[in-house]
Amino acid sequence: MRSHAETESGPSNVRAALLTSTQRRSTLDSEDVIRVFVTTQNQMSGPPRPARSRLPLGVSLPLPPVARRVLGHPVVLVALVLTASSFLLSASGSIGLLPSSWTAPSSSSSSSSLSIDLDTTTLLPSPPLPDSYVRWFPSLSLPPSLLLPAHAPLASRLAALLARPVHAHDTGTALNHASCPSPETDQLVNPDQYDGEHAFWERLGEHDVRGRRSQVVGWLADRAASGYRVLGAEDMGGGRGVVLTGGNQDTTLRMLTLLRHLRRLGVDLPVEVFHYAGELTNRAHRDEIESLGGTIREVDGVHKVDGVWKNFQIKGLAIVQSSFRELLYLDSDNLPLRDPTHLFSAPAYVERGRAVFYPDLSKDHADNAIWRIVGEPCTLDDWTFESGQIVVDKAGNDGLNLAALWLAAHMQADMSFWFHLCGGDKDTFRWAWRMLDIEFARSPKWMSPLGFLNAHEGGRFCGHTMLQYDLVTPPGYTSPPPLFVHANLLKHLGGGLAKGQVFTHLKRFKRDAYAEPSLNYAHLWVYNGRGRGMCTDLEWNVGWEQNLPADVRDGQGVELVPLDELEGRPFDGFEDAFWELGGRVGGW
């Protein structure tokens, strides 16, 4: 469909075109919205007009402060029109550049660290774009808001993303299976994801790949045009802190336990607690969070969705909107074993982009369309991410970490598409970093399932926690010890467990380094434990003896370890503190 904005110029004509288009919104798709936005910015790529004077302080607009100061600039006007049109488009259920769950942040709640004064009088030449993107970028130029001198590092990365290879499903998967062969890729994938999403992956063709990449570019262009800071900087302020999310009854109770536990460990970092609108209304809960040093903030721009299993989409935007430049994000059911503040000075963090992510229990299948959208060949080098803990500096990677966080927030808000590829919020971070081709550090070890021996099944191991490891080796240890007790399945358990019965054993491979090649034959899965509920277990995968080379297999194996036999006894006193500080089994 050819947009009226492609034949007329000027903001007033674009506004009229968008309003006309919204009357036909049942046939307007996301690509049309992107094209209207990009075409309009390109039409305005002549000498920009100087910014107008600041509006009176009494004027309240749904934009950050800098946008009020440059309201007269055409790029900003386009962003306003685009945002308004996306709300109209969302009424029909169609997917636009801004998902239906997205609303423009209000000026009253915007963090000053997210807005920035920029020179809008000079635009750099656009990096060349492939001819195949002419539908989305008619002038084959990036939008002007990305061509400001301050955004040059981001512009080059986005142009490089658009220039990556584009493949249809059959061609792409054939190439991916060459680097991620069976049986490894079949046995390492989350089987529920493969069975439930494979048909969705197959339907995505070359046109969809280009459209989704263009949407990513358009999203960041819109953020920049609206006056938001899209690149971090050393001087952006904010310091260090901890970010938490929660707000319903169960997450609030777990979050209170976590806050008490952090203070017990001597963690003196400030804490910001983000929740959805309409949550965290209990006065006593709010008072206790504040008494423990937490600042309560309502996430701005994303909403809770009824009828979904979990509302993962809060995490990315909470991290972006937090006032901290450097932060540790923790899920409400994740308790550190010791003060984690040292992670901000760990060599892995400092030397590899100032962002650290931790491994989950599976790897992405060669057929997953995410490889084709990101434009990278499949690799078994990385586990999927487990985002119950994230350490990140928004100024890391020359400021591109903040742009990646914006991308992750966008993918989470547009969960009706991206969660088919990412299994929730967790891998939106991984793919945002890969889209921009920037560094991140990995945990030095693969995660271990932590739990107890189930008396209802003859002492079978029942794991309920993902145990993640430190980035450093403290004095007295020979390897990085456990650090994060992410009890993500504990809320699903029942059976009357009491103190001393919950955290007793872990399972691990004798060699469990993150990149250990034999772990590609590990099988960590979820099962229904008799009398308990959801449990995990760890064993070798089927056929491992035939497929694993002898030199890799020798000396390797699964071991069940009582916690009191771990080096340094890091769990001493942990379970007592867990119960005393409000920890519980079950709930939601």
Side-chain angles (χ1 to χ4, degrees), residues 350-368:
V350 173
E351 297 169 7
R352 293 193 60 82
R354 303 184 73 85
V356 181
F357 298 101
Y358 293 78
D360 207 337
L361 53 81
S362 61
K363 294 189 177 183
D364 282 302
H365 198 273
D367 294 354
N368 193 331

Side-chain angles (χ1 to χ4, degrees), residues 229-243:
R229 182 191 290 271
V230 293
L231 287 176
E234 296 285 341
D235 62 355
M236 66 187 293
R240 292 172 175 169
V242 177
V243 174

Side-chain angles (χ1 to χ4, degrees), residues 93-114:
S94 61
I95 301 175
L97 175 61
L98 300 182
S100 59
S101 59
W102 192 274
T103 58
S106 65
S107 60
S108 60
S109 60
S110 296
S111 168
S112 60
S113 65
L114 289 184

